[in-house]
Amino acid sequence: MIEFQHVRFAYEKGREVIRDLSFRIARGEAVGLIGANGAGKSTVMKLALGLLSGEGRILIDGEELNRQTLASARRKLGFVLQNSDNQMFMPTVYEDMIFGPLNYMVSREEADRRVDEVLARLDLQALKHRHNHRISGGEKRMAAIATILAMEPEAILMDEPSSALDPCNRRLVINTIRGLEQTKLISSHDLDMILDTCSRVILLSEGRIAADGPAEEILRDRALLERNHLELPLRLAGG
Amino acid sequence: MNKMEKALHELTEMDDLAARSSPVHALHPTAKLLSTIAYIIVTVSFDKYDLGGLFPMLLWPVLLFEISGIPLRTCFYKLRIVLPLVMAVGLFNPLYDRAPMLLLGGTAVSGGVVSMLTLMLKGVFCLMASFLLMATTPIDSLCAALRRLHVPGMLVTLLLLTYRYVGVMTEELAIMTDAYHLRAPGQKGIHVSAWGSFLGQLLLRSMDRAQELYGSMQLRGYHEHFHYAPIRAFRLPDGLYTLACGAAFLLLRFVNLGRLLGGLVVR
């Protein structure tokens, strides 16, 4: 579904943040992208979404990402931003949810049906006509996920989906992510959440893959994690 | 709640007002838009000394405020920052135009004073009409109406996004002023020495957020074309309302209602 082939990227000339990165995420896979601050996680997300362009090849559903294929690739990908305030820019949750489908020429009736279906699935019907400014952080995060689901993407990319949430809302978001059947690429420092939601983990270090394998295996490797400025998930640390 | 958060709250209150229901709210946005534009044009067209003729123009907004259930004091409260600026227009007229124009209880009133009052009233009336339009019509419906009137899409999108973006900027400003006051207790406002960096930071932060927002829009298929809320068809009552308003404004413009009524009483 998402494939990086020898991708390189630098924000400034001579200072590469992504160095010859290659990996492949199969359809339906749930992959956690972990690494210390500055390891390149957000950059990988932005490259996959075509918000940045570097050297090498990025393939979305077998199609190389370029100017011609950008629109069709984006239609297949949904991105949940770390800061939901930056994602929810319409006045109400409903208007935000229909924004994407309408842009993709889905009829208003179909967009309305999707909105109702997604809200019912996430048990968020009460939020439908609420003002984005007046809902809590947890509700906003769930609403942000709902806006992406209403687009019916084939793959969902999430940047720190559990950050700044109380334990109850964090659990709610984790359960929601677990229930999504789409391909998932989740970038996070919350390794417990990654363990709960992903079967595979890609560990980035200075723009390169330091490890790629089953989540249980990588997240249990204390030495590997510590070498990369990370710690064992609390659940595995036995604390 | 700091001042900025209050401002943000007031902004969302406008959306709440527009979401209410009343006969004025139920009118087609295009009808309201056209009648407001007509009102403003007619109001502005009054001669600078025609204070008596201008006064009856107050009837229309006052009547609609009453029907829509929006208190007039809400209008004046929300316009409290703009109103003094409008009132300031023509403030110097009395200095330049000192020729006596009318006698009021034995006191001569100069043309400058009359023109100043006329200009002030024109400004206040136009603001009242604009506020009424915004308070009874959701911004999306208003933009949809503008598009129906063939206003260029780019301009309408700009208007809509500016309206949305005011909230984002106010949020950033609220966060920054909170952070400032937490480290400058007892200080009123932002000290002059910090204005430069404060504004610079605000600009940079706003640009970052704008970039993120735009990215989020692009990722959801946005491509210079906004899908506005669907508005119902323009019906006969909407047309009649627009025509009635237009006719009433023209009547008020060319028939001095105050003088006419005054004449009847004196006779």
Side-chain angles (χ1 to χ4, degrees):
Chain A
M1 182 75 216
I2 301 170
E3 190 172 353
F4 275 49
Q5 292 177 355
H6 307 289
V7 175
R8 293 174 175 277
F9 178 78
Y11 287 103
E12 293 168 47
K13 208 172 181 184
R15 290 185 65 182
E16 278 191 340
V17 286
I18 298 296
R19 301 167 187 187
D20 197 25
L21 192 70
S22 297
F23 64 84
R24 184 172 179 276
I25 298 172
R27 187 175 286 272
E29 225 180 344
V31 179
L33 195 61
I34 63 171
N37 288 333
K41 302 187 296 295
S42 298
T43 309
V44 167
M45 294 273 190
K46 287 179 181 168
L47 285 165
L49 293 158
L51 290 174
L52 298 174
S53 59
E55 290 171 37
R57 275 161 46 101
I58 297 171
L59 291 97
I60 305 296
D61 204 15
E63 211 172 39
E64 186 170 349
L65 192 63
N66 54 40
R67 207 173 267 189
Q68 284 75 39
T69 59
L70 191 61
S72 71
R74 282 181 176 168
R75 193 168 186 162
K76 292 172 186 166
L77 306 174
F79 183 44
V80 179
L81 273 74
Q82 180 176 1
N83 184 353
S84 306
D85 280 325
N86 290 347
Q87 186 161 336
M88 311 286 287
F89 51 87
M90 299 293 276
T92 64
V93 173
Y94 165 74
E95 285 166 271
D96 234 306
M97 286 183 74
I98 58 165
F99 179 82
L102 291 183
N103 280 327
Y104 285 120
M105 298 303 161
V106 168
S107 70
R108 196 164 276 271
E109 292 73 29
E110 169 64 10
D112 281 343
R113 186 199 61 75
R114 286 187 190 185
V115 168
D116 289 334
E117 187 196 303
V118 171
L119 288 176
R121 178 144 56 108
L122 303 185
D123 199 18
L124 297 175
Q125 293 99 324
L127 291 186
K128 186 173 177 180
H129 295 294
R130 296 271 306 276
H131 272 281
N132 285 330
H133 278 302
R134 293 183 188 160
I135 57 178
S136 72
E139 289 172 328
K140 212 172 272 182
R141 188 64 51 85
M142 288 299 291
I145 294 173
T147 61
I148 297 307
L149 291 182
M151 289 167 58
E152 298 189 345
E154 290 172 36
I156 300 181
L157 288 77
M158 295 180 170
D159 195 3
E160 295 286 0
S162 62
S163 67
L165 293 180
D166 64 41
C168 192
N169 278 312
R170 178 179 167 277
R171 180 52 50 197
L172 184 65
V173 167
I174 289 173
N175 288 339
T176 304
I177 296 172
R178 283 167 67 105
L180 303 174
E181 65 273 18
Q182 285 94 339
T183 308
K184 285 167 275 187
L185 178 61
I186 304 169
S187 152
S188 183
H189 287 125
D190 181 351
L191 301 189
D192 283 275
M193 190 268 295
I194 293 289
L195 197 58
D196 275 340
T197 54
C198 302
S199 55
R200 177 183 157 197
V201 159
I202 295 174
L203 170 57
L204 286 183
S205 175
E206 295 177 355
R208 289 195 183 94
I209 293 181
D212 182 355
E216 280 275 347
E217 205 174 284
I218 289 178
L219 296 177
R220 274 183 195 281
D221 191 337
R222 184 191 294 264
L224 173 72
L225 293 176
E226 287 181 356
R227 259 202 321 277
N228 290 286
H229 310 283
L230 299 171
E231 288 178 343
L232 281 180
L234 286 174
R235 184 142 47 95
L236 299 180
Chain B
M1 208 189 277
N2 70 21
K3 275 183 187 172
M4 290 305 137
E5 280 164 338
K6 271 186 198 159
L8 195 63
H9 186 70
E10 278 189 37
L11 204 67
T12 51
E13 268 179 354
M14 285 302 287
D15 290 333
D16 289 342
L17 288 176
R20 283 188 188 181
S21 93
S22 79
V24 182
H25 286 80
L27 283 165
H28 194 280
T30 313
K32 285 187 269 186
L33 181 66
L34 288 174
S35 55
T36 306
I37 292 170
Y39 178 83
I40 291 172
I41 291 171
V42 171
T43 302
V44 170
S45 74
F46 275 89
D47 186 79
K48 64 177 178 175
Y49 298 122
D50 195 3
L51 191 57
L54 182 66
F55 249 116
M57 290 300 287
L58 181 63
L59 286 173
W60 185 74
V62 169
L63 188 70
L64 290 194
F65 269 107
E66 194 57 38
I67 298 170
S68 65
I70 294 169
L72 260 172
R73 66 169 185 280
T74 308
C75 166
F76 288 112
Y77 179 73
K78 290 203 182 290
L79 296 176
R80 66 193 179 282
I81 296 167
V82 196
L83 274 173
L85 299 175
V86 171
M87 302 288 266
V89 177
L91 210 57
F92 296 105
N93 284 18
L95 300 177
Y96 297 114
D97 185 358
R98 297 182 184 187
M101 186 153 198
L102 53 95
L103 280 170
L104 205 68
T107 313
V109 179
S110 69
V113 171
V114 173
S115 66
M116 177 187 74
L117 289 173
T118 309
L119 278 173
M120 283 177 176
L121 283 183
K122 280 183 186 180
V124 173
F125 290 179
C126 291
L127 274 178
M128 283 171 77
S130 310
F131 177 85
L132 191 72
L133 176 69
M134 292 295 292
T136 57
T137 321
I139 186 77
D140 280 47
S141 307
L142 202 57
C143 289
L146 285 168
R147 285 297 292 136
R148 280 203 183 175
L149 294 172
H150 299 286
V151 175
M154 189 63 88
L155 279 180
V156 180
T157 304
L158 209 60
L159 172 75
L160 184 70
L161 293 182
T162 305
Y163 182 81
R164 298 254 183 281
Y165 202 66
V166 168
V168 174
M169 260 187 84
T170 316
E171 256 178 35
E172 285 298 327
L173 206 55
I175 295 167
M176 285 176 67
T177 42
D178 271 346
Y180 180 88
H181 287 301
L182 285 170
R183 286 184 291 159
Q187 204 177 96
K188 275 192 173 178
I190 310 289
H191 194 266
V192 178
S193 62
W195 281 10
S197 57
F198 203 84
L199 277 176
Q201 279 296 319
L202 178 67
L203 180 71
L204 291 173
R205 290 169 69 130
S206 303
M207 278 168 66
D208 280 349
R209 281 200 69 177
Q211 195 65 43
E212 281 253 306
L213 278 168
Y214 185 61
S216 164
M217 289 168 72
Q218 277 184 311
L219 293 174
R220 287 195 273 161
Y222 175 75
H223 188 67
E224 294 171 13
H225 177 68
F226 229 93
H227 294 270
Y228 301 103
I231 47 176
R232 63 171 176 79
F234 194 87
R235 297 189 195 125
L236 185 65
D238 303 310
L240 290 177
Y241 168 81
T242 315
L243 287 175
C245 283
F249 299 153
L250 288 176
L251 187 76
L252 291 171
R253 175 68 185 88
F254 296 110
V255 179
N256 192 325
L257 203 66
R259 192 172 294 166
L260 196 73
L261 290 174
L264 286 174
V265 172
V266 169
R267 245 178 248 170

